[in-house]
Amino acid sequence: MTRAGALLINAILDKYDLVPKNTLVPAALYIIAMSHQPLFLQLHQGIIASFLMIVILYSLFDIYTQQEAYNQVFNAGFMTGIASLFFLPAALFVLFIFLTFFTYRLYTWREWIIVIFGFLINWVFLATYYFWFDILIDAYLTYVNHSYFGIDQEILKLPGISTNIISGIIVALFFYSASLLALHLQENVISVRKRFVSVFWFIFISLLMSGLFNNAI
């Protein structure tokens, strides 16, 4: 699934002219970034959530060229909700959607409400299922005890030195690339500039989400 996500994000960036044609550099960087965590070398819920978040990015790219992209907005919120069911910190991508709205200057209340409803509908269906089979309280206690937000001594454990070094390099490259992007951003057309900023928020929220990795559901 990591390779599929790499090819998808490369195709999206190529389609919207954010990278040169016929390049696989974004795909290679994505694979490197997703492989530095040992658990990501096998099927993990974080990989599934990551793939869904790339789909969210595509939906938001498509919003900019449409007047009333309610379907794309709902899909973005809905996919974020599904991703959070697999990997709880993925709920932070609601913040990414809102930051993209600010970038695109989408200030009408409909889009914001649609995102919230699209996100919550997954949890409402899940809660209804648990309630129907009378296991709602048990499911809630499971989430509290095993999620990142529960009190767990494992949270205090630091990852290995190699993982810390690679993570530090990724963060440093992110800020270096962001500074270069800011210097040359005005050289692009408006649509490309705004999508570049959206990609910036995408990476920023992804890095923030990775900080909640260890004990998330």
Side-chain angles (χ1 to χ4, degrees), residues 63 66-70 73 98 101-102 104-116:
I63 288 174
Q66 300 188 28
Q67 292 292 331
E68 296 181 348
Y70 297 143
V73 171
F98 291 158
F101 284 174
F102 277 117
Y104 292 170
R105 298 180 182 272
L106 295 177
Y107 301 129
T108 57
W109 61 271
R110 289 184 181 88
E111 284 84 358
W112 297 70
I113 295 298
I114 289 173
V115 168
I116 295 174

Side-chain angles (χ1 to χ4, degrees), residues 9 12-14 16-19 26 53-54 57-58 60-61 93 96 99-100 103-104 174 177-178 181 185 191-207:
I9 196 170
I12 292 172
L13 297 180
D14 178 73
Y16 291 99
D17 298 322
L18 299 181
V19 295
M53 286 181 282
I54 296 174
L57 181 66
Y58 175 74
L60 294 180
F61 275 1
F93 261 70
F96 161 67
L99 289 172
T100 300
T103 303
Y104 292 170
F174 166 73
S177 301
L181 174 62
L185 196 59
S191 60
V192 174
R193 291 204 303 262
K194 291 185 179 296
R195 289 183 176 120
F196 262 126
V197 175
S198 181
V199 171
F200 168 83
W201 288 124
F202 180 87
I203 298 174
F204 176 78
I205 296 299
S206 297
L207 292 175

Side-chain angles (χ1 to χ4, degrees), residues 159-195:
I161 296 177
S162 60
T163 301
N164 282 330
I165 292 174
I166 297 175
S167 299
I169 292 174
I170 291 175
V171 173
L173 289 175
F174 166 73
F175 284 107
Y176 176 72
S177 301
S179 63
L180 293 179
L181 174 62
L183 291 175
H184 300 284
L185 196 59
Q186 298 302 321
E187 300 175 3
N188 301 292
V189 298
I190 295 176
S191 60
V192 174
R193 291 204 303 262
K194 291 185 179 296
R195 289 183 176 120

Side-chain angles (χ1 to χ4, degrees), residues 135-151:
I135 55 175
L136 181 60
I137 301 299
D138 293 337
Y140 170 77
L141 293 177
T142 299
Y143 271 80
V144 170
N145 292 331
H146 294 88
S147 70
Y148 174 83
F149 304 101
I151 299 175

Side-chain angles (χ1 to χ4, degrees), residues 28-95:
L29 293 177
Y30 177 82
I31 292 176
I32 293 173
M34 291 297 297
S35 300
H36 86 286
Q37 287 282 1
L39 286 179
F40 279 173
L41 298 178
Q42 55 189 343
L43 184 61
H44 187 273
Q45 61 264 37
I47 298 178
I48 300 174
S50 176
F51 183 84
L52 293 174
M53 286 181 282
I54 296 174
V55 177
I56 295 168
L57 181 66
Y58 175 74
S59 297
L60 294 180
F61 275 1
D62 208 27
I63 288 174
Y64 185 74
T65 56
Q66 300 188 28
Q67 292 292 331
E68 296 181 348
Y70 297 143
N71 289 336
Q72 289 83 353
V73 171
F74 178 82
N75 289 338
F78 186 77
M79 288 294 180
T80 305
I82 293 179
S84 68
L85 294 179
F86 287 99
F87 189 62
L88 190 58
L92 287 174
F93 261 70
V94 173
L95 177 60

